[in-house]
Amino acid sequence: MLGLPASPAHRMLHAIGTAFLFSTTALAQPQELTPQAQPVLIEAPPSDACASCCRGSCSVSQVLRESVFGCADEWTPLCFNQLFSTGWCDAYAEPPRGPGGAPRQTWLNTFDGFLNRQVELGYGFTRDLQTVDERGDAHLGFFSIETPLNRRVSVRLDVPFVVALDSYCGCDHTDFGDITVTPKVLLYETCDTSITAGLSIRTPTGEPETGGKVGSLFPHVAAWRDLGCGWSFHGGTGIEVETDSPPNSDDRTVWVTSLAVGQTITPHCALPIGDFTYYLATNIRTDLASDCD
């Protein structure tokens, strides 16, 4: 998983109309109010489309528009027992910071156990990468975008537009990489915890010389947890099954586990490094294929 600290979602102020009821009474002798004479309070309807949309009373197109472009109602927790009943017809609402001050932000080479609205542009370096035929130092330039579709679902697109291999044999290569699409479902979310399930679909748009031309399906579960004092935990696990491999290589099945912990040490509004976070991450890949026939 690739990512950078996420940008904050835009918010809009909602105008709330209030209805006032005035009544007058005669200055003559006081009289008892009969049940028919008691005033009736009338609730004002929502003042804008977004307010009603976030209560699940608008069309699919309105939910998509408000989720993608950011006009959301107040955030509320989602529990496991609400998985099939709540959030599917509501626009995305940005969750608050954890009670310990940790934001839900993307970290490089870790799992995101939450939904996000973000755009990323980054660079990665891998020393001594082994491809199908060669070994060398790899450089990666990537573009990623994630957008929620409603309160429960988001879609992420990862595009490695430059993958370069400085081969040890002197045969350098520069290619386009494998595009990955990841739909995610939010299973559970409170102020201090988020849990998601996702399916990363890797398409073989790259070349074998730079480690590409691989198709795979990667179902996984991820979690985020506020630990207090700015500390937070990212973790996840899943099984990656190759569906399309380069020539002269076999399809592989790999169990992937990622654990990371870090601390956010600057406030969100601190310029130019708001929400600055340092963290330590470990990623374990275990090949489940047997060498025996």
Side-chain angles (χ1 to χ4, degrees), residues 87-106:
W88 299 96
C89 297
D90 297 339
Y92 171 75
E94 182 183 7
R97 300 171 76 92
R104 290 168 172 83
Q105 62 178 192
T106 298

Side-chain angles (χ1 to χ4, degrees), residues 53-231:
C53 178
C54 297
R55 285 191 289 271
S57 59
C58 66
S59 66
V60 173
S61 61
Q62 286 178 303
V63 171
L64 287 173
R65 183 175 65 251
E66 307 302 348
S67 297
V68 173
F69 297 105
C71 175
D73 205 353
E74 183 179 357
W75 175 89
T76 55
L78 292 175
C79 299
F80 284 119
N81 60 1
Q82 301 172 311
L83 178 58
F84 299 104
S85 61
T86 305
W88 299 96
C89 297
D90 297 339
Y92 171 75
E94 182 183 7
R97 300 171 76 92
R104 290 168 172 83
Q105 62 178 192
T106 298
W107 294 349
L108 187 67
N109 287 333
T110 64
F111 284 89
D112 286 346
F114 47 86
L115 307 188
N116 213 338
R117 185 190 294 118
Q118 62 184 358
V119 177
E120 308 164 24
L121 182 65
Y123 164 80
F125 172 77
T126 303
R127 181 172 177 80
D128 196 21
L129 175 68
Q130 176 65 58
T131 65
V132 176
D133 300 317
E134 302 177 50
R135 181 184 295 271
D137 296 336
H139 304 265
L140 170 67
F142 67 91
F143 168 80
S144 300
I145 182 170
E146 180 180 350
T147 180
L149 304 181
N150 56 36
R151 183 73 196 281
R152 287 285 187 181
V153 179
S154 74
V155 176
R156 178 184 174 97
L157 177 68
D158 293 285
V159 182
F161 56 86
V162 174
V163 182
L165 180 69
D166 297 334
S167 176
Y168 293 164
C169 69
C171 303
D172 298 342
H173 302 277
T174 301
D175 299 305
F176 189 85
D178 293 339
I179 296 176
T180 302
V181 179
T182 305
K184 293 194 298 184
V185 176
L186 183 63
L187 303 179
Y188 175 88
E189 188 167 76
T190 60
C191 290
D192 59 1
T193 305
S194 293
I195 302 175
T196 62
L199 175 63
S200 296
I201 306 169
R202 179 172 174 176
T203 60
T205 54
E207 296 298 332
E209 291 79 9
T210 52
K213 207 67 175 178
V214 176
S216 68
L217 297 176
F218 180 40
H220 58 271
V221 177
W224 173 91
R225 174 77 177 182
D226 182 284
L227 303 178
C229 299
W231 289 91

